[in-house]
Amino acid sequence: MRRSLHDTGELIRFNGRNLLLFQMGYRLTAASAYVQLLNAGMRFSLKQAGYSYLTLENGGKVLLYPWTIPVVLALMGVGILLLAVEAAGLTVACWGAAHSFKMPAWQIFMEGLRGTKEQIRRKEFRLFAVAASDFFVMNIFCLYRTLTHVKPVNFVVEEMSGNPLLQGGAFLFVCVSALAAVPAYFVFHGCIIEQKTYADSKRDSIALLKGRAATVTARVMIPQLLVMGTALLCYVIAVFLMAVTAVLFVRRDLQFAFLIRASDWAEWIIMGLASGAASMVYFGSLTAQYYRYGPHHAGRRRLYDTGIPLLNRRNGLAFLGLAGLITGAGMLDGAVNGTFLASSMVVRTEITAHRGSSGAAPENTMAALRAAVEEMADWAEIDVQETKDGVAVVCHDENVSRITGVNRNIKDMTYEEIKSLDAGLWFSKEYEGEQIPSLEEVMEYAKGRLNLNIEIKYAGAKSRLPQKVSRLVEEYEMEDQCVVTCTNLEYLKQIKEENPQIRTGYIIPAAYGAYYRNDAIDIISIRSGFVSGKLVTLAHEAGKSVHAWTVNDKAELERMRVLAVDNVITDAPLLAREILYRQEGTESLLEYLRELLR
């Protein structure tokens, strides 16, 4: 085993920098492009099936809809192709290291691309199944952690965690999958390096493993366990360091929220790096075993030659530049405009700051929105009305006397008159001079920072306010960062007519009738006291999301968590995060560090 680990380490170390550059560049670029593709595919499938959200209750119906299966198969096909390019590239890179030949990152990519293209030309599609199987085996832990954050798959994961029989079945499935991958350990070396057929490569792989399958498997899997163990250790250290940072530098009431958010980011980053490292180690281990037991002439043949002089520094830099451009564009688009995928498949109950963070700053003001961002709310709920001169402004009351001391209605005032009012002094002298903002000001600030729940106040059947709100959402490209809600169903229909991609929410004080079946509604926004398990199930079966308002009590927040509502609207975002995302280990760590560092 020591020799095997040493050989694997030498193969990776010899070309480590370029392997790392390839893995980082390829993974980021492929992931950015693939997420956009998944986003479009999921939106299309749900639309064709007549749903707005994917839930546990409607997941089976969506999957059985005629359009869904072709879309899922196409997405799976693209994903497997991406995995095959990575596997082929790593195989070639490790072949090069075994022969003391360093390959730049762009050459690794090009050889992976060429190898995959050649297998498609030969119709060796079984090799792609091997790529998918290998990826599953070497990323089982990372996949598990990812699936716990994705709905409705997470329900299955949760059920398994509490059921010994299901746990045993899952363990058996993993073992069978790992064992099924054993005979095909070296088919990539045969197909990509020696350019043999899949059948010949599989036969050679089985012959090479004869009498030593268990030994080779141990030598391949133990390094994988070391990678995962290292990743877990890094995560524990990261959480501890972030907890120390929270106690030393973060305001006390923000410490828990900061630690939860930072821990989530740390988990995603560390799991991503661990997955990339696992792939390198996996193919490094296989290559070490291949050259230990296989024919010594293996891999000495010339690689695929397309006749195109791609492998030079200039083209390499161009490749890296293009990869960076694709990655940057994809990540920037997701960060600034949001993604339908994230908003539809995130497991956790999200938190909406009611009228901004109205407990920390004057409601429906820019100060309240800044406080919502500071308190790490996922959304901010705002109220929108129209001035005399047709400007959409953010204010809850028709008459502004409560928040400004001026006894006038918004619809009777111009925008300039509205801007001259003080909407902050009533809250505290600290906010003196705070103004009633326009919806456009709010959207400009919130884009890429904060999702918006825009409640349109009813202003009569002839009002054009729904159209104005819809056009602003379009103008700022915030379809995936906004929902538009109203107590008037006709307004929501108008929003859908203007732009079907904008999600709409029907605000109801009580639960009566089959309102959740209306096509103009994507979200049921209801008083928390009327939320029940049956209501949540019925709404989810209809593909609707459930938002509960206004939840400020600890017991009621806990009840919403148990009922698995999709979003709670609250005046206390920090309290909501502590209740909804409570982790005893995290709380204990914070308390221990507070005492230690006092």
Side-chain angles (χ1 to χ4, degrees), residues 247-266:
V247 171
L248 291 178
F249 303 109
V250 178
R251 205 174 73 203
R252 186 182 177 93
D253 59 339
L254 290 173
Q255 288 174 1
F256 184 83
F258 167 83
L259 185 55
I260 291 296
R261 180 68 60 86
S263 297
D264 284 344
W265 276 104

Side-chain angles (χ1 to χ4, degrees), residues 45-62 340 496 504 513-524 533-546 566:
S45 296
L46 286 175
K47 181 180 179 181
Q48 294 302 313
Y51 294 110
S52 304
Y53 286 88
L54 181 66
T55 66
L56 175 67
E57 289 80 3
N58 71 10
K61 296 177 183 177
V62 173
F340 180 76
K496 283 296 185 184
T504 54
Y515 44 83
Y516 43 81
R517 299 192 185 280
N518 196 301
D519 291 338
I521 300 170
D522 299 314
I523 296 164
I524 308 301
K534 182 179 179 181
L535 182 145
V536 172
T537 298
L538 289 172
H540 283 175
E541 283 178 351
K544 314 298 183 185
S545 177
V546 178
D566 302 281

Side-chain angles (χ1 to χ4, degrees), residues 51-340:
Y51 294 110
S52 304
Y53 286 88
L54 181 66
T55 66
L56 175 67
E57 289 80 3
N58 71 10
K61 296 177 183 177
V62 173
L63 188 61
L64 293 176
Y65 196 80
W67 271 104
T68 303
I69 294 175
V71 170
V72 169
L73 290 176
L75 291 171
M76 288 176 61
V78 172
I80 290 172
L81 277 176
L82 293 173
L83 295 177
V85 171
E86 178 182 308
L90 290 173
T91 300
V92 173
C94 291
W95 164 88
H99 293 281
S100 301
F101 176 59
K102 285 189 177 182
M103 292 185 182
W106 62 86
Q107 183 172 359
I108 297 173
F109 170 72
M110 291 309 303
E111 296 298 350
L113 198 61
R114 291 172 183 175
T116 303
K117 180 182 176 182
E118 181 68 13
Q119 301 312 308
I120 294 173
R121 186 187 67 78
R122 294 178 177 180
K123 298 182 180 180
E124 297 286 9
F125 300 118
R126 286 175 291 180
L127 187 65
F128 300 114
V130 173
S133 175
D134 285 347
F135 181 82
F136 175 77
V137 170
M138 49 183 169
N139 291 279
I140 183 66
F141 181 74
C142 295
L143 285 171
Y144 167 77
R145 291 303 305 164
T146 299
L147 292 176
T148 59
H149 295 290
V150 176
K151 65 182 181 183
V153 185
N154 74 297
F155 176 80
V156 179
V157 175
E158 289 180 1
E159 284 296 305
M160 286 193 301
S161 65
N163 188 317
L165 186 62
L166 290 176
Q167 283 181 335
F171 179 74
L172 183 62
F173 174 76
V174 171
C175 291
V176 170
S177 300
L179 289 173
V182 173
Y185 268 161
F186 303 114
V187 294
F188 264 93
H189 294 81
C191 290
I192 302 298
I193 301 300
E194 299 196 64
Q195 303 176 35
K196 294 180 179 180
T197 65
Y198 176 85
D200 288 342
S201 299
K202 178 73 173 289
R203 188 162 46 250
D204 290 346
S205 179
I206 293 172
L208 190 150
L209 289 164
K210 189 175 182 180
R212 56 174 75 97
T215 301
V216 172
T217 299
R219 289 171 177 170
V220 169
M221 297 310 298
I222 286 177
Q224 296 293 300
L225 295 174
L226 291 175
V227 169
M228 289 300 106
T230 302
L232 283 173
L233 179 61
C234 289
Y235 176 71
V236 170
I237 293 172
V239 170
F240 179 79
L241 292 176
M242 288 183 293
V244 172
T245 301
V247 171
L248 291 178
F249 303 109
V250 178
R251 205 174 73 203
R252 186 182 177 93
D253 59 339
L254 290 173
Q255 288 174 1
F256 184 83
F258 167 83
L259 185 55
I260 291 296
R261 180 68 60 86
S263 297
D264 284 344
W265 276 104
E267 181 177 0
W268 284 112
I269 292 170
I270 290 171
M271 287 300 105
L273 293 173
S275 176
S279 296
M280 289 192 294
V281 170
Y282 183 81
F283 285 98
S285 301
L286 286 178
T287 302
Q289 301 308 305
Y290 188 66
Y291 287 102
R292 182 172 183 177
Y293 297 117
H296 294 293
H297 66 276
R300 296 186 184 275
R301 301 181 183 185
R302 188 161 62 96
L303 296 178
Y304 304 112
D305 185 5
T306 60
I308 303 174
L310 290 167
L311 308 181
N312 59 59
R313 184 172 295 276
R314 179 180 298 176
N315 288 307
L317 291 174
F319 158 68
L320 291 177
L322 179 62
L325 185 64
I326 295 172
T327 302
M331 295 179 72
L332 182 64
D333 180 68
V336 174
N337 298 322
T339 65
F340 180 76

Side-chain angles (χ1 to χ4, degrees), residues 277-528:
S279 296
M280 289 192 294
V281 170
Y282 183 81
F283 285 98
S285 301
L286 286 178
T287 302
Q289 301 308 305
Y290 188 66
Y291 287 102
R292 182 172 183 177
Y293 297 117
H296 294 293
H297 66 276
R300 296 186 184 275
R301 301 181 183 185
R302 188 161 62 96
L303 296 178
Y304 304 112
D305 185 5
T306 60
I308 303 174
L310 290 167
L311 308 181
N312 59 59
R313 184 172 295 276
R314 179 180 298 176
N315 288 307
L317 291 174
F319 158 68
L320 291 177
L322 179 62
L325 185 64
I326 295 172
T327 302
M331 295 179 72
L332 182 64
D333 180 68
V336 174
N337 298 322
T339 65
F340 180 76
L341 189 69
S343 62
S344 301
M345 296 193 71
V346 170
V347 167
R348 66 181 186 181
T349 298
E350 294 189 298
I351 297 168
T352 296
H354 184 226
R355 303 180 193 174
S357 188
S358 53
E363 65 183 55
N364 280 317
T365 62
M366 298 304 296
L369 292 171
R370 287 191 291 270
V373 171
E374 182 181 349
E375 294 177 356
M376 288 170 270
D378 303 300
W379 296 75
E381 183 268 348
I382 56 175
D383 305 280
V384 175
Q385 301 186 59
E386 194 173 12
T387 63
K388 183 179 180 180
D389 51 349
V391 177
V393 295
V394 178
C395 186
H396 179 269
D397 300 350
E398 290 184 14
N399 188 291
V400 296
S401 60
R402 179 176 65 87
I403 61 171
T404 68
V406 177
N407 187 23
R408 295 187 66 184
N409 292 332
I410 286 179
K411 65 181 181 180
D412 299 325
M413 303 174 70
T414 66
Y415 179 59
E416 287 302 317
E417 290 174 319
I418 289 285
K419 293 297 285 184
S420 68
L421 301 176
D422 187 327
L425 185 60
W426 72 274
F427 189 85
S428 76
K429 193 167 180 61
E430 177 186 352
Y431 294 100
E432 184 176 0
E434 195 71 35
Q435 299 174 326
I436 294 174
S438 69
L439 176 58
E440 194 164 358
E441 284 180 89
V442 168
M443 295 183 79
E444 187 172 340
Y445 170 76
K447 186 174 175 66
R449 289 193 182 96
L450 187 66
N451 297 313
L452 293 176
N453 178 333
I454 304 170
E455 180 184 342
I456 303 178
K457 293 298 183 181
Y458 184 68
K462 295 182 180 180
S463 173
R464 299 295 294 171
L465 185 56
Q467 288 75 14
K468 290 180 181 179
V469 170
S470 174
R471 286 164 192 166
L472 276 174
V473 172
E474 285 182 14
E475 181 183 334
Y476 280 88
E477 298 180 335
M478 293 179 69
E479 287 91 342
D480 288 327
Q481 286 183 260
C482 291
V483 299
V484 178
T485 58
C486 189
T487 56
N488 184 270
L489 192 55
E490 195 59 39
Y491 273 18
L492 300 181
K493 291 179 181 178
Q494 292 177 35
I495 291 289
K496 283 296 185 184
E497 288 171 3
E498 285 285 316
N499 187 341
Q501 289 191 2
I502 296 176
R503 289 166 292 167
T504 54
Y506 190 29
I507 302 173
I508 53 176
Y512 299 111
Y515 44 83
Y516 43 81
R517 299 192 185 280
N518 196 301
D519 291 338
I521 300 170
D522 299 314
I523 296 164
I524 308 301
S525 184
I526 185 170
R527 187 187 300 274
S528 67

